[in-house]
Amino acid sequence: MNVCVIGVGYVGLVTGAVFADLGNEVFCVDNDKRKIDMLNRGEMPIYEPGLKEMVKRNVDDGRLIFTTNLSKGVKTAKVIFIAVGTPPKPNGESDLSAVEAVAKEIALNLDDYKIVVNKSTVPVGTGNLVRNIIEKHRRSDVEFDVVSNPEFLKEGSAIADCLNPDRIVIGVPNHHVAMALLELYAPLERTMLITDVESAEVIKYASNAFLATKISFINFIANLCERAGADVSLVAKGMGTDSRIGKEFLQAGLGYGGSCFPKDTLSLLHTAKKFGEDASILESVIAINQDRVPRFVRRIIARLKPLNRKVIAVLGLAFKPNTDDLRDAKSLEIIKALQKKNAVIKVYDPVAMDNARSILKGVTFCKNAYEAARGADALIVVTDWNEFKLLNLEKLHQEMRGNFIFDGRNIYSKERVESAGFEYHCIGKQ
Ligand code: UGA
């Protein structure tokens, strides 16, 4: 099938590569020439395991084309995916200007029946908005349909998630339209759920907000465990083995970051208010998350004060492991708060260093965790990269001046860390 994917961000690029890998002819379009040029040179604008190899394979076979020429992509394709960004406005509402602009461009190039698919995370009602824009700007009465097909992939495991999704949600105005999407996704042999457009749009936000709720809930329980002398890891295990609850997304820590949960919970809150619905449940989820870093920093200050000129090694900058993404990363918030108290910051991340150099000022970038630890008074774990779990703790201790570890992701066992000579502070346990 001929497919056009507009937007080569995380979702667009991975979707385009996977559709090409399944044997389709795919045009990936973006108006950012720099990104398209990079991709045509075989360089990836993002770090995602397996992506580079998959892109190369399909470009070499001629099934995957990167271009700024939207007109050609739209005219060649039967199915057009909109996968552009929907960043938050200051009031939390999703900014749909990129979606609107793309819808207008599609309309101007519509020469034949097309299926226009919203893959971007967009608030309920956006399918209608896109339909109205295309109707208004198309040059003739050529037919089209607008479908909602939200994406559920996670950064760091995007290819695997895209190839093995728990479910594929297809929100359609009529069942006839669903056939083309069913055909496109059939090779994955996964559960497909056909709904109306509005329900598909809500499924995406409800899923992300529910996962964010699980995280904030376990973080609230972690706070309680700290006061009551309980251990949140054991509590999460005890809860998660109930199949109705499930063990995923019950890892207490510094809270959720990244480009999705913080933005999507705020957007859903905005939508709920727009429809006059009480959303205090979401307000609590957001408030708990927003207090994770201040609470962690309060603990660091309480133990190390005064922070003035104390050297702190920060392990992990990316918002989570296996990505170089720093959007809404807890590291940035923590470093800013510690710098405000005049702490000296050394940092290390396995893949996010290049991105960090343009964002972080006044920190020392180190080649590895041991170099970051050298001469430090305290070490803090911000991202749960596997390589941090496997560090030689005795060697780390020898490198340091002080002996504090503040583990924001609970990656170590207290006994192990203490036997290496550290004073250990973690989340939700003594
Ligand atoms: C999330 C969803 O998991 C995807 O299904 C969705 O498609 C995506 O948003 C999106 O809307 O595009 P992602 O943001 O890549 O994916 O990352 P997650 O793995 O969900 O992690 C989000 C944040 O929650 C991270 O900061 C992570 O450290 C944190 N987290 C996750 C916890 O603090 N505890 C947990 O138990 C799990």
Side-chain angles (χ1 to χ4, degrees):
M1 196 180 294
N2 284 325
V3 174
C4 174
V5 181
I6 304 175
V8 294
Y10 245 102
V11 169
L13 181 53
V14 173
T15 304
V18 166
F19 280 144
D21 217 47
L22 294 176
N24 301 287
E25 308 284 322
V26 182
F27 267 83
C28 280
V29 180
D30 203 294
N31 60 7
D32 185 339
K33 189 171 177 310
R34 192 190 58 91
K35 265 193 192 170
I36 294 295
D37 288 346
M38 269 181 90
L39 286 160
N40 280 324
R41 288 196 302 271
E43 295 165 22
M44 297 301 106
I46 50 170
Y47 171 83
E48 185 62 39
L51 182 62
K52 195 172 178 171
E53 297 75 9
M54 185 181 263
V55 166
K56 185 178 180 330
R57 190 163 66 236
N58 288 286
V59 168
D60 289 350
D61 290 351
R63 279 192 302 271
L64 184 59
I65 292 170
F66 295 106
T67 177
T68 53
N69 188 342
L70 181 138
S71 171
K72 187 155 184 216
V74 168
K75 286 181 177 154
T76 318
K78 174 175 177 188
V79 183
I80 303 158
F81 287 87
I82 302 179
V84 294
T86 53
K89 293 182 184 176
N91 66 353
E93 187 181 1
S94 297
D95 181 349
L96 295 177
S97 53
V99 172
E100 290 167 7
V102 165
K104 189 173 166 192
E105 285 288 306
I106 293 172
L108 295 173
N109 287 285
L110 214 60
D111 58 348
D112 198 1
Y113 173 76
K114 310 279 176 192
I115 299 173
V116 178
V117 187
N118 254 332
K119 212 172 217 339
S120 302
T121 300
V122 288
V124 59
T126 307
N128 260 335
L129 175 76
V130 167
R131 156 158 284 287
N132 291 338
I133 292 172
I134 299 178
E135 255 166 18
K136 186 172 158 203
H137 293 283
R138 68 186 159 165
R139 293 201 163 127
S140 62
D141 275 353
V142 56
E143 290 292 308
F144 67 96
D145 278 300
V146 177
V147 171
S148 167
N149 170 221
E151 181 51 60
F152 299 101
L153 63 80
K154 301 183 290 300
E155 292 186 22
S157 55
I159 303 265
D161 290 347
C162 216
L163 287 169
N164 304 295
D166 288 339
R167 75 302 202 189
I168 296 160
V169 174
I170 305 173
V172 286
N174 59 68
H175 275 241
H176 174 70
V177 187
M179 290 315 291
L181 273 291
L182 289 174
E183 189 188 328
L184 195 58
Y185 282 113
L188 296 180
E189 297 180 12
R190 308 301 292 183
T191 304
M192 300 205 214
L193 183 65
I194 309 291
T195 70
D196 57 276
V197 174
E198 286 75 14
S199 301
E201 290 171 337
V202 175
I203 286 170
K204 172 66 192 181
Y205 280 97
S207 302
N208 273 6
F210 191 79
L211 292 170
T213 304
K214 277 188 96 171
I215 297 170
S216 279
F217 186 84
I218 199 67
N219 282 330
F220 149 68
I221 296 292
N223 291 349
L224 188 65
C225 288
E226 280 167 19
R227 291 187 190 275
D231 179 333
V232 73
S233 301
L234 297 175
V235 174
K237 206 177 232 173
M239 289 168 65
T241 40
D242 183 328
S243 60
R244 293 168 304 173
I245 297 173
K247 61 181 174 13
E248 306 285 339
F249 283 71
L250 284 181
Q251 174 67 45
L254 297 171
Y256 57 81
S259 64
C260 303
F261 289 172
K263 150 177 104 63
D264 294 349
T265 43
L266 286 170
S267 178
L268 186 59
L269 179 63
H270 185 273
T271 303
K273 283 186 176 161
K274 193 175 107 188
F275 284 97
E277 267 315 310
D278 174 74
S280 45
I281 182 167
L282 267 180
E283 281 164 347
S284 299
V285 168
I286 294 166
I288 291 170
N289 198 57
Q290 286 174 344
D291 190 45
R292 295 315 288 161
V293 166
R295 185 183 172 98
F296 188 60
V297 170
R298 283 195 297 274
R299 284 176 70 189
I300 296 173
I301 293 173
R303 199 66 194 90
L304 291 186
K305 67 180 178 210
L307 236 52
N308 194 22
R309 306 311 299 160
K310 291 256 167 64
V311 179
I312 300 186
V314 176
L315 295 193
L317 298 172
F319 87 92
K320 67 171 195 175
N322 297 321
T323 177
D324 62 352
D325 199 338
L326 288 165
R327 286 176 290 178
D328 248 308
K330 300 295 175 184
S331 60
L332 306 181
E333 211 183 323
I334 292 172
I335 290 168
K336 205 166 156 194
L338 296 175
Q339 283 180 326
K340 245 191 180 154
K341 298 280 174 196
N342 278 330
V344 175
I345 307 294
K346 298 176 79 181
V347 301
Y348 169 68
D349 186 282
V351 303
M353 300 290 268
D354 283 347
N355 284 350
R357 276 179 226 279
S358 57
I359 299 174
L360 285 173
K361 300 289 166 233
V363 307
T364 305
F365 292 94
C366 301
K367 280 204 280 295
N368 54 47
Y370 301 108
E371 190 182 308
R374 196 160 303 146
D377 295 290
L379 184 138
I380 64 180
V381 178
V382 179
T383 315
D384 41 346
W385 283 97
N386 267 338
E387 75 167 62
F388 298 153
K389 297 177 187 166
L390 304 171
L391 288 173
N392 179 333
L393 295 177
E394 281 74 19
K395 185 170 169 204
L396 210 59
H397 186 257
Q398 278 164 18
E399 294 284 1
M400 287 174 60
R401 180 165 72 185
N403 71 332
F404 296 98
I405 289 186
F406 294 90
D407 181 355
R409 300 288 177 184
N410 287 357
I411 66 170
Y412 297 123
S413 91
K414 187 177 167 72
E415 294 71 31
R416 173 78 191 90
V417 178
E418 285 182 350
S419 76
F422 287 102
E423 180 179 311
Y424 185 56
H425 299 267
C426 59
I427 306 286
K429 47 185 121 176
Q430 297 298 310

